Amino acid sequence: MPEAASLAEAVDALADRFRSMPQSRLLGAVPGHPSRAAAALALAGRLATAAQAAEGAADGAGGPAAPPREFPDAGAFAAGDQLAVAGHDLAAALTALPAQALVPLPEPLGGPAAAPAVLARALAEVAATAALCG
């Protein structure tokens, strides 16, 4: 899925914004989150969970999705790096899948979806977080 490169680009742009934010801005509250860093960590966790599901689909697991691994909170100054890693993991996992592969996302992320829908949802979430934390 070559379009997954657009996810890596979008995540890199947002991660760079977080890396350049001063502490006061990183720790400033935004709607739905106690801080911008927490919003980035929440997004990184969702992207990491989707990447784990996509990797399971690439492995041909076929069964129910494995329980998502906990995404660690490495602190406000690591939010950009964590976001970049999770986004690149998802982009790589989606690239490895056939175009219409079914990704066994867990129900909190919307349940199973075709790879293009997972990519579209991830791009929308990155854009929403960028707007929220702008």
Side-chain angles (χ1 to χ4, degrees), residues 7-69:
L7 176 60
E9 292 169 7
V11 166
D12 282 342
L14 183 57
D16 285 346
R17 284 178 48 195
F18 277 98
R19 289 179 186 123
S20 67
M21 280 185 196
Q23 182 177 10
S24 60
R25 199 151 162 74
L26 279 170
L27 299 178
V30 293
H33 301 280
S35 68
R36 285 177 179 82
L41 182 64
L43 173 60
R46 291 191 302 275
L47 295 176
T49 298
Q52 180 183 352
E55 289 164 358
D59 292 341
R69 295 182 293 268

